[in-house]
Amino acid sequence: MAHGSVRVRFAPSPTGLLHIGGLRTALYNYLFARKHDGEFVLRIEDTDRSRYVADAEENIVDALNWTGLDYDEGPGVGGEHAPYRQSERGDLYRKYARELVDQGAAYYAFDTEEELDALRARGEDGDGTPAYDSSTRRDMRNSLTMAPETVERKINEGDDYVVRLKVPPQRTIHFDDEVRGGVSFDATEIDDQVLLKSDGMPTYHLANIVDDHLMDISHVIRGEEWLSSTPKHVLMYEALGWDPPTFAHLPLIMSPDSSRGGKLSKRDAERLGIPVYVTDYREAGYEPDGLLNFLALLGWNPGTEQELFDLEEMVEAFSLDRVGSSGVQFDLDKLRWVNEHYIRALSVEELAERARPVADAEGYEVSDERLEEICALVQERVQVAPEVVTDNRYFFEDPEEYEEEGVEKRWTDDSADLLLAYADRLEALDGFDADDLETVLRDLADEKDVGAGAIIHPARLAVSGRSYGPGVFGLMAAVGKEACLRRMRRAAEVLG
RNA sequence: GCCGCGUUCGUCUAGCUUGGUCCAGGACGCCGGCUUUUCACGCCGGUAACACGGGUUCAAAUCCCGUACGCGGUACCA
């Protein structure tokens, strides 16, 4: 490695809410930095005024805070390379754009977007040669073809111009990628990229390399969509006489929809019920550590059979050479499975804290004590905290209907009588704890000479409306005496 | 179209550098069983893959070539 210390950056564009793929990129950068005792920098790439979204930066910061991916430098926390918003670093980019022009590695161009679009749209000319390719622009209106005085005059007169990278003809640009190995591009395939836009703002390409160099970034870890533009970046590093950082391009997160494929888009994800934004995961009640754990495994593997990691363990196990190179499909089931383990690791109090706002939002009045009792019962059967409430509504309200399949299978001719008898005995009971409920039921079953199941199943159906759930006795105790009696008697009546 | 990257169970993947120990291992999902005179958890078992075609070799998931397919890029967006 050419660099002494590791410095990486997460450089999102504030064009909207932070996407799940962005979080994974941040995670890998974070893991790599911590693993090598390096620094993790947050840089906001807000050079496109037209796509700027005011709240986006705050959302990005919130997401990083929520997941615990602490950055060492960035907006808000500062650092010796501040500022960390590209919109505040404009002069820097203009300076290096000029330097590139002075070195002959870039040039001023006066062609309008419309002219270029028209040329591109024309496709091939009659003789089969393309109307536009990488060499075409060399014959257009720019500082390569015009007299220096003319160029100077046009600029002084306020004509719109851009600065373009002058891609050298006939060259192969090669660079090494930590996850893909060697990658080569033929320079004739590379367009003369705009570096400085006519509004004076840099494009991603210029801003990116200037900042990565000035901020002393050692490793650029980003999504694969950047692989094709990396040769342009390499060319710029060369022209400026800078050492390029080490590159690592991560596989893209794809839509699990086999018929459509492609990058996981907002539309696809919504259609498939997959949350796209980090905010959505937070609202859905996923554990941040669980989300991170899942994301780490999406494109990386530790080389061992370990699947569950806390952040520290992930840091320890992480390495770029175990990052895969093919696109990965998002698997919601696996995320839920991972999250389930994080739910189990919670204390009952912690789970209740998470369930509280859900219960409140649903309008259920429940004491902390009882909510904890419920959490203890369902902790091992929910995958996401809100399900404590939303999948177990019978704790809060009488069931309105009874699961058809369960009734068919468990409700028999003698069920109503047994249930009524059970209810009567419970009514005479002083307390209402699970042990008593069980004793009474088993005694009754013995007397009536039936299996305990003959009462257990109907009781569950009556009290919860379902054929599955936590152990019946604990469940009934949590539901409470009054409600249990009411529900059993009603079921006896309704189901016969 | 062109350029680049990729292709092992439905999905995430191990294995590929240094060919044989792989009739390919793990995990999610799914199915079955055990346990529980209640659901689940747990445990046990099962299902299912080297994209295709040519080489090279005594031997190929592993090396080479080609094809197909997928994805990315091809913007004064990032």
Side-chain angles (χ1 to χ4, degrees):
Chain A
M1 243 167 265
H3 304 265
S5 64
V6 165
R7 284 177 56 82
V8 297
R9 83 297 195 278
F10 174 50
S13 223
T15 55
L17 303 177
L18 184 64
H19 189 277
I20 192 71
L23 182 62
R24 190 195 55 166
T25 302
L27 206 217
Y28 284 28
N29 273 283
Y30 174 90
L31 294 176
F32 188 74
R34 294 291 172 260
K35 167 86 179 184
H36 298 282
D37 293 314
E39 273 98 35
F40 176 48
V41 177
L42 173 64
R43 186 173 72 218
I44 303 296
E45 310 225 331
D46 53 351
T47 54
D48 185 358
R49 296 194 328 240
S50 65
R51 295 213 305 158
Y52 181 75
V53 173
D55 297 336
E57 181 182 323
E58 189 187 348
N59 178 265
I60 290 163
V61 169
D62 283 350
L64 294 178
N65 288 340
W66 177 61
T67 50
L69 299 182
D70 306 320
Y71 44 93
D72 305 297
E73 297 171 30
V77 312
E80 59 176 305
H81 302 279
Y84 293 93
R85 280 184 204 96
Q86 292 187 328
S87 58
E88 297 167 16
R89 301 168 63 83
D91 290 344
L92 248 19
Y93 310 126
R94 286 185 278 278
K95 172 184 159 197
Y96 287 107
R98 207 171 307 125
E99 189 170 325
L100 249 8
V101 173
D102 290 346
Q103 319 231 321
Y107 60 90
Y108 296 108
F110 300 95
D111 326 297
T112 65
E113 278 184 86
E114 292 71 31
E115 290 170 328
L116 259 15
D117 286 346
L119 229 33
R120 290 183 181 116
R122 207 157 86 201
E124 288 189 352
D125 282 337
D127 59 359
T129 58
Y132 176 88
D133 67 17
S134 63
S135 67
T136 312
R137 196 142 37 217
R138 299 298 165 75
D139 301 323
M140 297 176 73
R141 289 180 297 136
N142 53 50
S143 61
L144 259 24
T145 58
M146 301 163 93
E149 311 80 60
T150 316
V151 171
E152 198 177 326
R153 197 197 68 232
K154 285 176 78 69
I155 290 177
N156 289 339
E157 284 174 356
D159 279 17
D160 274 356
Y161 69 93
V162 298
V163 172
R164 282 185 185 275
L165 179 66
K166 185 174 155 194
V167 176
Q170 291 170 329
R171 246 200 72 177
T172 297
I173 297 143
H174 180 275
F175 59 91
D176 288 312
D177 185 282
E178 287 290 285
V179 343
R180 273 147 232 281
V183 182
S184 301
F185 286 82
D186 190 332
T188 56
E189 300 299 334
I190 302 170
D191 204 357
D192 284 1
Q193 185 62 234
V194 167
L195 267 20
L196 205 63
K197 299 183 263 192
S198 54
D199 66 358
M201 290 292 265
T203 56
Y204 170 88
H205 309 281
L206 207 220
N208 199 259
I209 66 116
V210 167
D211 285 346
D212 282 344
H213 176 257
L214 260 26
M215 294 182 181
D216 205 19
I217 297 301
S218 64
H219 294 72
V220 168
I221 303 170
R222 70 223 316 182
E224 195 193 340
E225 69 266 31
W226 296 110
L227 190 63
S228 307
S229 34
T230 304
K232 295 169 187 172
H233 306 166
V234 170
L235 249 19
M236 286 189 267
Y237 280 109
E238 267 181 28
L240 261 3
W242 297 340
D243 279 340
T246 300
F247 295 102
H249 289 92
L250 308 176
L252 262 17
I253 297 179
M254 316 295 284
S255 165
D257 189 334
S258 54
S259 66
R260 286 163 144 240
K263 267 202 286 190
L264 182 63
S265 68
K266 186 173 76 174
R267 265 190 74 157
D268 269 358
E270 273 168 8
R271 201 169 40 81
L272 297 164
I274 297 170
V276 236
Y277 300 120
V278 178
T279 316
D280 296 334
Y281 287 87
R282 189 175 184 173
E283 276 171 19
Y286 286 93
E287 296 298 311
D289 291 347
L291 217 211
L292 253 27
N293 190 152
F294 167 73
L295 251 20
L297 260 14
L298 211 56
W300 168 83
N301 77 83
T304 65
E305 285 179 3
Q306 186 175 1
E307 303 254 0
L308 270 9
F309 302 81
D310 61 32
L311 244 196
E312 239 175 272
E313 292 174 312
M314 273 186 253
V315 166
E316 187 52 41
F318 191 78
S319 75
L320 284 176
D321 57 18
R322 294 206 70 89
V323 172
S325 51
S326 45
V328 294
Q329 285 187 30
F330 191 94
D331 182 358
L332 196 59
D333 280 331
K334 184 90 180 235
L335 199 217
R336 291 176 59 81
W337 175 80
V338 170
N339 199 70
E340 178 183 309
H341 291 272
Y342 284 81
I343 292 289
R344 288 184 194 180
L346 259 27
S347 67
V348 172
E349 291 75 20
E350 288 169 326
L351 183 56
E353 268 171 43
R354 289 159 171 72
R356 181 90 251 168
V358 183
D360 291 348
E362 296 287 335
Y364 298 136
E365 277 180 37
V366 54
S367 68
D368 286 344
E369 194 186 13
R370 199 163 91 88
L371 189 54
E372 282 173 23
E373 185 183 4
I374 290 167
C375 284
L377 287 171
V378 302
Q379 183 158 22
E380 287 198 352
R381 40 199 109 218
V382 298
Q383 294 185 297
V384 182
E387 289 175 354
V388 166
V389 174
T390 59
D391 274 9
N392 300 285
R393 296 181 184 278
Y394 52 84
F395 282 120
F396 312 101
E397 57 191 20
D398 289 5
E400 280 178 17
E401 39 195 48
Y402 305 96
E403 181 198 306
E404 219 171 289
E405 227 176 292
V407 172
E408 210 166 293
K409 198 169 158 196
R410 307 292 196 182
W411 193 271
T412 55
D413 291 342
D414 60 351
S415 295
D417 288 341
L418 289 167
L419 214 50
L420 257 12
Y422 186 37
D424 288 344
R425 293 200 183 186
L426 292 182
E427 189 160 26
L429 225 52
D430 287 336
F432 204 70
D433 64 67
D435 287 347
D436 292 342
L437 296 176
E438 178 159 11
T439 307
V440 171
L441 185 141
R442 291 190 192 283
D443 286 350
L444 178 64
D446 282 349
E447 282 173 40
K448 300 280 186 182
D449 200 26
V450 295
I455 312 178
I456 286 176
H457 294 294
R460 175 190 295 286
L461 232 23
V463 175
S464 73
R466 302 193 315 205
S467 63
Y468 58 95
V472 232
F473 305 113
L475 184 158
M476 287 172 63
V479 167
K481 184 171 181 176
E482 198 187 321
C484 280
L485 298 183
R486 180 175 68 238
R487 293 179 191 184
M488 287 194 282
R489 285 168 177 153
R490 171 166 185 263
E493 197 185 320
V494 174
L495 297 173

